[in-house]
């Protein structure tokens, strides 16, 4: 995965010359102190870079041009320490192409009751300076995140990091390449979409390679490299007896390792950040990539099955957002239901490809018949997923817009063994309850493919949707079906105006 600390967020403070040079020196001093404190915070995943204060339209326009041109700058934090007349910001904001966070704070936490005078008031007036700036951003109809609070408070710091992680994922999408081996699964609607519109809207491209292009690379992998990777498997997982060196299906493990190595080379050589395949197009391959897809996701690549390129991109984005956080992110599918009264839940799984970053304990490396695709039995990692709060997210092409749909869920530790289910799996309870959550998902047109996350929150995805300027729909403990259906109707009108 990428090192988020290599990415920069620029801290830009607005003021004016009305208050004199001594006040401006104090503004710069305070701004530097805040930027340094945020940069030193272990809870903030990116680098926060102080930029000289801006006091004129020319300075503001110049720094916004620098922001756009910088490869490492992924967004801007603005703060108005004093009163910064917002007409100065028009031309700079008009050209700003990167995410914006408006930090509404002040240098001092408390009012100095015994010492406060007009000099103090002239210096510390973000309470109305930020409102002036905020009006202009709203007047220009710009998306941004507003964080309110003292800059040393944990809640303020955590909100900034949520936004920064979303900005890192948005930055990662710009110019990203995803590869599709074969086409979409036949006749399936929700996993397909407008790739031209997606490239225009999101900045990433999706292009197809025939499976033969991948097979050629796979066939060139050396036996020595395969043996080295199998040693890694032996150390990382519990190998079933039939896959061990003297086992009758050890050759299948070699075939799986060869597929992984070829896939890795193909993605690296093409500078791809994710891929999708389909069991309907495996010509020339011995087995469907199972452990290969799982381990490539573990390494940070996006993946989804059956040609679902939108979920590939979303998995990659959520892996970038979650980089360095405890827990993982994985391609997921709502597979089957448990309708026991007062204990309803969803069993999430896929044929093979669930990322081991979400595994509870050491995965087992196994081989079983797939029953679909007409190929040799594929090798895969089998495991349960830890309980705890999580989210499921899905990107949907609604024809006139993209929708990002999120359901907050609670993962449940299985109370029963699943001895005959030969895939990775997770049980969860959708919020606010099974009937409401599933109905809301269906009303919103949610896909059966998602990205399941243990370490992100709905706030991360809401910030990301704002940066992408797409619709965001949340299903959580407060969801009411009547209100949700009205929200969807109102959104439909909004996006047709």
């Amino acid at each position: 995965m990428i090192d988020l600390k290599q990415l920069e967020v620029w801290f830009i403070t607005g003021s004016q010359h009305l208050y004199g040079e001594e006040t401006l020196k104090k503004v710069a001093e305070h701004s530097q102190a805040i930027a340094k404190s945020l940069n030193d915070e272990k809870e903030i995943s990116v680098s926060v870079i102080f930029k000289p204060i801006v006091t004129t339209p020319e300075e503001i326009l110049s720094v916004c041009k620098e922001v756009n041109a910088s490869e490492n700058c992924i967004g801007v934090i603005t703060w108005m320490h004093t009163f910064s007349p917002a007409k100065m910001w028009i031309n700079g904001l008009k050209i700003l192409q990167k995410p914006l966070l408006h930090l509404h704070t002040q240098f001092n936490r408390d009012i100095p009751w015994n010492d406060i005078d007009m000099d103090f008031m002239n210096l510390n007036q973000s309470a109305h300076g930020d409102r002036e700036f905020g009006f202009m951003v709203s007047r220009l109809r710009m998306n941004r995140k507003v964080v309110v609070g003292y800059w040393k408070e944990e809640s303020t710091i955590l909100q900034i990091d949520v936004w920064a992680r979303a900005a890192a994922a948005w930055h990662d999408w710009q110019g990203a390449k995803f590869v599709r081996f074969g086409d979409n699964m036949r006749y399936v609607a929700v996993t397909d979409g407008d790739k031209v519109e997606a490239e225009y809207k999101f900045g990433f491209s999706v292009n197809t390679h025939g499976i033969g292009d991948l097979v050629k690379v796979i066939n060139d992998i050396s036996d020595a490299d395969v043996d080295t990777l199998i040693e890694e498997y032996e150390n990382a997982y519990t190998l079933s007896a039939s896959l061990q060196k003297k086992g009758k299906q050890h050759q299948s493990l070699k075939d799986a390792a060869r597929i992984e190595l070829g896939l890795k080379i193909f993605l690296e050589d093409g500078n791809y950040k994710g891929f999708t395949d389909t069991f309907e197009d495996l010509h020339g391959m011995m087995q469907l990539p199972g452990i290969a897809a799982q381990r490539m996701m573990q390494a940070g690549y996006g993946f989804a099955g059956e040609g679902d390129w939108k979920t590939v991109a979303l998995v990659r984005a959520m892996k970038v957002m979650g980089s360095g956080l405890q827990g993982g992110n994985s391609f997921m599918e709502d597979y089957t239901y448990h309708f026991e009264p007062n204990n309803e839940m969803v069993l999430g799984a896929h044929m093979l490809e669930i990322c081991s970053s979400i595994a509870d304990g050491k995965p087992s490396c196994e081989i079983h018949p797939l029953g679909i695709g007409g190929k040799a039995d594929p090798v895969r990692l089998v495991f349960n997923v830890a309980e705890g709060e999580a989210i499921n997210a899905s990107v949907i092409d609604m024809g006139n817009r993209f929708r990002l749909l999120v359901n907050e869920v609670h993962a449940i530790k299985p109370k029963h063994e699943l001895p005959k289910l030969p895939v990775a799996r997770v049980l969860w309870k959708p919020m606010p309850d099974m009937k409401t959550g599933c109905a809301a998902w269906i009303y919103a047109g949610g896909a059966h493919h998602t990205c399941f996350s243990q370490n992100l929150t709905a706030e991360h995805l809401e910030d990301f949707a704002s940066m992408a300027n797409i619709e965001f729909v949340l299903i959580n403990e407060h969801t009411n079906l009547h209100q949700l259906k009205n929200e969807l109707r109102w959104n439909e009108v909004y996006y047709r105006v």
Side-chain angles (χ1 to χ4, degrees):
M1 285 299 294
I2 63 173
D3 177 7
L4 297 184
K5 269 296 181 183
Q6 294 180 352
L7 303 176
E8 298 175 354
V9 169
W10 289 5
F11 192 90
I12 300 173
T13 305
S15 188
Q16 60 176 319
H17 287 277
L18 178 65
Y19 311 107
E21 289 305 311
E22 286 304 311
T23 297
L24 290 180
K25 287 180 182 178
K26 278 291 184 184
V27 170
E29 178 185 319
H30 292 173
S31 183
Q32 269 187 298
I34 294 176
K36 182 180 186 305
S37 177
L38 294 177
N39 186 58
D40 291 343
E41 276 289 345
K42 61 180 175 46
E43 298 295 342
I44 292 184
S45 52
V46 302
S47 295
V48 179
I49 306 299
F50 167 78
K51 288 294 174 179
I53 65 172
V54 289
T55 57
T56 67
E58 292 77 17
E59 291 173 352
I60 293 168
L61 179 61
S62 177
V63 75
C64 287
K65 287 180 178 178
E66 290 179 39
V67 168
N68 292 342
S70 171
E71 290 187 8
N72 288 337
C73 178
I74 63 171
V76 172
I77 298 175
T78 56
W79 173 51
M80 306 303 118
H81 191 325
T82 62
F83 196 80
S84 179
K87 287 173 69 176
M88 297 195 305
W89 285 87
I90 292 175
N91 288 330
L93 290 174
K94 276 170 58 179
I95 68 163
L96 185 64
Q97 298 172 349
K98 295 185 179 179
L100 170 64
L101 182 145
H102 183 186
L103 178 59
H104 187 39
T105 191
Q106 61 185 27
F107 186 72
N108 59 297
R109 192 192 70 174
D110 303 328
I111 293 174
W113 304 105
N114 293 327
D115 300 320
I116 187 169
D117 57 17
M118 282 312 300
D119 287 339
F120 181 92
M121 296 282 275
N122 286 333
L123 174 61
N124 298 285
Q125 53 177 306
S126 56
H128 73 289
D130 276 329
R131 283 169 166 80
E132 168 76 358
F133 176 78
F135 161 75
M136 186 52 66
V137 183
S138 295
R139 175 66 177 80
L140 295 176
R141 309 306 197 265
M142 293 179 64
N143 290 345
R144 83 285 203 187
K145 181 169 189 172
V146 178
V147 174
V148 180
Y150 186 52
W151 50 280
K152 288 186 178 181
E153 284 182 1
E154 183 182 12
S155 61
T156 301
I157 291 164
L158 292 177
Q159 276 192 287
I160 292 172
D161 185 58
V162 166
W163 171 85
R165 288 177 174 279
W170 180 246
H171 175 77
D172 185 73
W173 264 14
Q174 306 314 301
K177 295 165 59 182
F178 299 102
V179 61
R180 198 181 192 190
F181 296 113
D183 199 0
N184 192 57
M185 183 178 174
R186 298 180 194 117
Y187 305 116
V188 177
V190 74
T191 56
D192 212 341
D194 188 337
K195 295 192 289 293
V196 174
E197 182 65 17
E199 187 163 353
Y200 169 72
K201 193 74 177 176
F202 298 136
F204 63 73
S205 63
V206 181
N207 287 291
T208 297
H209 272 268
I211 197 70
D213 294 339
L214 174 60
V215 169
K216 183 179 184 301
V217 180
I218 292 171
N219 290 342
D220 288 340
I221 299 298
S222 71
D223 291 340
D225 288 340
V226 168
D227 291 340
T228 299
L229 183 55
I230 287 178
E231 289 181 11
E232 186 176 329
Y233 291 170
E234 291 170 342
N235 292 328
Y237 315 117
T238 302
L239 263 62
S240 62
S242 65
L243 292 177
Q244 294 174 13
K245 288 183 179 178
K246 295 183 179 180
K248 62 181 180 181
Q249 293 174 295
H250 184 67
Q251 183 58 47
S252 294
L253 187 65
K254 287 189 170 185
D255 293 339
R258 197 178 301 276
I259 290 171
E260 180 184 336
L261 291 167
L263 184 58
K264 184 174 185 290
I265 290 173
F266 192 100
L267 295 176
E268 289 176 347
D269 287 351
N271 196 29
Y272 294 110
K273 294 182 177 180
F275 71 101
T276 178
D277 56 23
T278 172
F279 62 87
E280 291 179 325
D281 190 354
L282 294 175
H283 183 72
M285 294 186 68
M286 292 293 294
Q287 55 181 268
L288 182 66
I291 189 173
Q294 292 175 295
R295 284 172 51 84
M296 295 310 291
M297 271 191 286
Q298 175 81 59
Y301 288 93
F303 172 81
E306 289 102 51
D308 185 359
W309 54 270
K310 298 189 302 300
T311 303
V312 171
L314 182 62
V315 170
R316 168 64 184 188
M318 291 174 69
K319 283 190 171 290
V320 172
M321 278 185 248
S323 182
L325 295 176
Q326 186 175 0
N329 294 271
S330 176
F331 169 56
M332 187 58 66
E333 179 172 283
D334 296 63
Y335 226 103
T336 195
Y337 290 150
H338 183 67
F339 273 131
E340 179 187 354
N342 301 316
N343 191 34
E344 299 96 338
M345 63 186 91
V346 179
L347 175 62
H350 202 251
M351 295 183 300
L352 303 169
E353 312 97 341
I354 302 299
C355 179
S356 50
S357 67
I358 64 172
D360 183 18
K362 188 175 183 179
S364 172
C365 184
E366 303 178 12
I367 182 169
H368 301 276
L370 185 61
I372 195 168
K375 290 290 182 177
D377 298 344
V379 175
R380 82 292 302 270
L381 300 176
V382 178
F383 51 85
N384 289 322
V385 174
E387 62 183 346
E389 302 305 313
I391 58 173
N392 265 319
S394 177
V395 174
I396 313 137
D397 186 343
M398 296 298 294
N400 65 333
R401 66 192 185 279
F402 290 99
R403 171 180 289 165
L404 179 54
L405 178 61
V406 174
N407 188 189
E408 294 179 348
V409 305
H410 183 80
I412 303 295
K413 187 173 183 177
K415 292 183 179 179
H416 305 279
E417 297 295 326
L418 298 163
K420 295 184 179 181
L421 184 62
V423 292
R425 59 275 179 143
V426 55
L427 288 164
W428 70 76
K429 292 180 179 287
M431 296 293 111
D433 56 70
M434 184 78 161
K435 291 184 177 180
T436 305
C438 292
W441 190 270
I442 290 172
Y443 277 122
H448 56 285
H449 286 171
T450 63
C451 181
F452 175 88
S453 176
Q454 298 169 317
N455 56 22
L456 300 177
T457 66
E459 186 180 358
H460 290 92
L461 276 296
E462 185 174 11
D463 286 354
F464 187 74
S466 177
M467 294 169 191
N469 195 28
I470 62 173
E471 181 185 11
F472 177 78
V473 176
L474 174 62
I475 303 167
N476 63 8
E477 61 180 337
H478 305 296
T479 295
N480 172 282
L481 282 180
H482 174 72
Q483 293 174 347
L484 179 89
K485 287 189 281 187
N486 277 336
E487 178 186 345
L488 296 174
R489 292 186 188 107
W490 298 331
N491 288 0
E492 193 65 39
V493 173
Y494 174 84
Y495 282 99
R496 290 191 182 277
V497 172

